[in-house]
Amino acid sequence: MKILVPVKRVVDYNVKVRVKSDGTGVDIANVKMSMNPFDEIAVEEAVRLKEKGFATEVIAVSCGVTQCQETLRTAMAIGADRAILVETTEELQPLAVAKLLKALVDKEQPGLIILGKQAIDDDCNQTGQMLAALADLPQATFASKVEVVDGKAQVTREIDGGLEILSISMPAVITTDLRLNEPRYVTLPNIMKAKKKQLDTFKPEDLGVDVSPRITTLKVSEPPKRSAGIKVPDVATLVDKLKNVSKVI
C-alpha cells in the first residue's frame, strides 16, 4: 500500500508575521519558512504506519514554488521514500490544491492520503475535505489516533463532546490533529540520505488542472490592539461599569 502525504511550505510558526504596508498580504521576504506543523505530523504518522508494515511506500507531495523542494527534502529526511513537486508561481487556493492532489491520486493510486487538517498560514481547513469529495473517497478528519485493523483504517477523532471512533474502508483521506503524534527529530544522516531520494517535478498543466484563483483577497490587516483593563474596588463598581460603560448587562 502507498501512502500519499501532501505537505505545505509556510512561514515558520516561531516567526511573528508582518502585514505588507499596502495591505495586500503577509510579508514573507527574508522570513524563515518551514513545513506546516500539521503536515509534519502527517508525515510522521505515514512513516510509522510503514514501519509497522502496513505500507510499502510513503510519497510526499507539495504544490507551489521551486523552494518547496526544501520542504519535500525535510519530509524525505523524516522517512518519506520519494517526493513529487507540482511547481507553479500561481497563488494556490484550497480547491486548486485539491484538484492537483486528485490528479496525483489517480496517477499513484495510494491506499491512504494523510494530510494536516489545516495550514497555519490561511487556516482554511478545506483541502482534505475537498479532496475526499473530488476523489469520492471516505474521510476522517481531526484524527488523534490512526490504526489499520482488518484492512480498514480505524480513526479516533476529536469532536466537541469528546472522542469519536470511525472505521473507514481504504483508500481514504485522513486529516491529522495535533495530538496524533510528536514528529521525530531529523538527524543529519537522514538529511544527507534525503538529498539522494527521487523528487519528480510536474506543472499543473501536465496534470490537466486549472489553478487560476477563484477568490480575491481585498485587504489584509492586523487585529486591533486590545486596550488595557482596569481594576475596580468592589462588586458594586464592577456591576456599574458593566451596566453603564460596557453595556453588556
Side-chain angles (χ1 to χ4, degrees):
M1 180 179 75
K2 295 179 185 177
I3 301 180
L4 196 72
V5 188
V7 296
K8 186 176 184 181
R9 179 176 181 262
V10 299
V11 175
D12 190 87
Y13 68 92
N14 287 312
V15 174
K16 186 181 187 305
V17 295
R18 302 184 304 274
V19 175
K20 292 180 180 177
S21 58
D22 58 3
T24 57
V26 173
D27 187 6
I28 60 171
N30 302 315
V31 170
K32 182 184 178 185
M33 307 292 282
S34 61
M35 187 189 302
N36 179 46
F38 290 103
D39 296 340
E40 196 172 358
I41 291 168
V43 176
E44 174 67 27
E45 191 63 25
V47 172
R48 290 187 186 188
L49 287 172
K50 183 190 171 188
E51 289 172 346
K52 291 176 183 177
F54 296 121
T56 55
E57 187 178 31
V58 176
I59 309 164
V61 179
S62 192
C63 306
V65 296
T66 307
Q67 290 88 334
C68 291
Q69 289 186 20
E70 300 167 11
T71 307
L72 290 171
R73 293 293 179 194
T74 301
M76 289 190 285
I78 294 173
D81 298 291
R82 60 186 172 94
I84 299 171
L85 171 62
V86 183
E87 189 176 348
T88 177
T89 55
E90 284 273 9
E91 177 199 349
L92 291 176
Q93 294 171 351
L95 180 59
V97 175
K99 287 181 177 179
L100 291 170
L101 294 177
K102 160 65 164 62
L104 290 173
V105 167
D106 292 341
K107 179 181 172 64
E108 295 289 345
Q109 295 293 309
L112 271 178
I113 303 99
I114 306 178
L115 66 162
K117 69 173 185 176
Q118 66 196 74
I120 62 171
D121 52 2
D122 56 21
D123 272 337
C124 282
N125 184 12
Q126 295 174 336
T127 305
Q129 293 89 327
M130 287 177 170
L131 172 60
L134 291 171
D136 194 24
L137 295 175
Q139 63 174 309
T141 55
F142 313 140
S144 59
K145 186 177 181 182
V146 177
E147 295 177 306
V148 177
V149 181
D150 297 329
K152 292 189 174 184
Q154 188 167 294
V155 181
T156 303
R157 61 188 301 268
E158 300 187 359
I159 57 175
D160 290 342
L163 299 177
E164 178 182 58
I165 300 176
L166 301 178
S167 179
I168 56 177
S169 58
M170 297 189 289
V173 176
I174 297 174
T175 69
T176 63
D177 212 337
L178 279 174
R179 280 160 287 281
L180 179 58
N181 62 51
E182 185 174 338
R184 67 193 67 189
Y185 178 76
V186 180
T187 62
L188 183 58
N190 285 338
I191 292 173
M192 301 306 293
K193 288 177 186 176
K195 292 181 179 180
K196 298 179 181 178
K197 290 184 179 179
Q198 179 181 346
L199 196 160
D200 299 319
T201 303
F202 296 96
K203 299 285 185 184
E205 49 268 27
D206 298 335
L207 302 172
V209 177
D210 177 16
V211 295
S212 301
R214 298 182 177 220
I215 300 171
T216 302
T217 301
L218 300 179
K219 185 181 179 183
V220 177
S221 59
E222 292 187 12
K225 292 182 179 179
R226 294 178 61 182
S227 57
I230 60 170
K231 290 184 178 181
V232 293
D234 50 46
V235 174
T237 308
L238 173 63
V239 173
D240 177 65
K241 295 283 187 185
L242 293 173
K243 184 181 292 184
N244 300 316
V245 178
S246 301
K247 299 186 185 300
V248 294
I249 59 173

